[in-house]
Amino acid sequence: MNTFYFIAFLSIFFSLLVIFAKNPVHSVLYLIITFFTFTIHYVILNAQFLAIVNFIVYMGAILVLFLFVMMMLNLNKESEPNKSNLIKIVGVIGGGCLMVTLVAAVKGLAKSQPVVLQNPDLGSVQNLGKVLFGEFLLPFEVSSILLLSAMVGAVLLATKDPKQPKTV
């Protein structure tokens, strides 16, 4: 249980660093660390599939894409546009609404009891595979055929026709 609280503290700490970092590249790097702490939480909660998906999809693909886009944009203070007072007021109102929601959630959390899973193998990859390839085999195969046809269509749309004249 102490490990859970330590990883929760790290999650909150690095998510605050994401918000308050001045450099956007540092912010994305802190976001990668934050998602890594979420992966550790999933492993602690016996949800191996969510941990693997979080690690591969979010940390491996989306955040690396964010990092490359931020590096390519070359963001600096001189190119940043001035924000109007209306946008600042809307930001303060949105932040206030978030604060009210967080306070209400923390008050509700103090009254609740921890959830104990009846089946400890509930989040395992083995059980997910049994359900996915048993009960949901047909929708799984249909979705794989749809993804394959979308990939072939994207490749066909991306290739140039050699008979078409070149445009300058």
Side-chain angles (χ1 to χ4, degrees):
M1 200 58 150
N2 291 333
T3 307
F4 178 82
Y5 287 123
F6 177 69
I7 301 298
F9 169 75
L10 288 179
S11 297
I12 294 169
F13 177 71
F14 285 117
S15 63
L16 288 174
L17 285 177
V18 168
I19 296 169
F20 294 119
K22 299 279 186 201
N23 190 343
V25 175
H26 292 165
S27 182
V28 172
L29 291 173
Y30 292 138
L31 191 60
I32 290 173
I33 297 171
T34 304
F35 277 153
F36 184 71
T37 59
F38 292 166
T39 302
I40 295 171
H41 275 280
Y42 290 141
V43 169
I44 291 172
L45 295 172
N46 198 23
Q48 295 93 3
F49 180 74
L50 286 177
I52 293 168
V53 168
N54 185 40
F55 188 79
I56 293 172
V57 173
Y58 287 105
M59 290 177 58
I62 294 174
L63 287 177
V64 171
L65 179 68
F66 281 175
L67 187 62
F68 286 144
V69 168
M70 294 252 188
M71 287 177 164
M72 285 175 39
L73 286 178
N74 193 13
L75 299 173
N76 53 20
K77 295 279 186 192
E78 294 82 28
S79 65
E80 185 176 335
N82 290 333
K83 295 177 179 61
S84 68
N85 288 335
L86 178 64
I87 292 178
K88 291 178 182 178
I89 291 171
V90 169
V92 168
I93 291 171
C97 291
L98 177 66
M99 186 59 90
V100 168
T101 305
L102 289 175
V103 167
V106 168
K107 283 185 179 180
L109 185 64
K111 298 175 187 175
S112 66
Q113 297 294 325
V115 176
V116 178
L117 294 177
Q118 302 297 340
N119 184 3
D121 293 330
L122 190 62
S124 69
V125 179
Q126 182 180 10
N127 285 343
L128 179 70
K130 285 180 182 176
V131 171
L132 189 63
F133 293 118
E135 183 179 348
F136 295 105
L137 181 63
L138 180 64
F140 180 75
E141 292 298 329
V142 169
S143 65
S144 67
I145 291 171
L146 286 173
L147 288 172
L148 177 66
S149 63
M151 185 174 61
V152 169
V155 168
L156 288 177
L157 287 174
T159 57
K160 293 184 179 181
D161 189 16
K163 297 175 187 174
Q164 197 170 12
K166 295 181 181 178
T167 57
V168 178

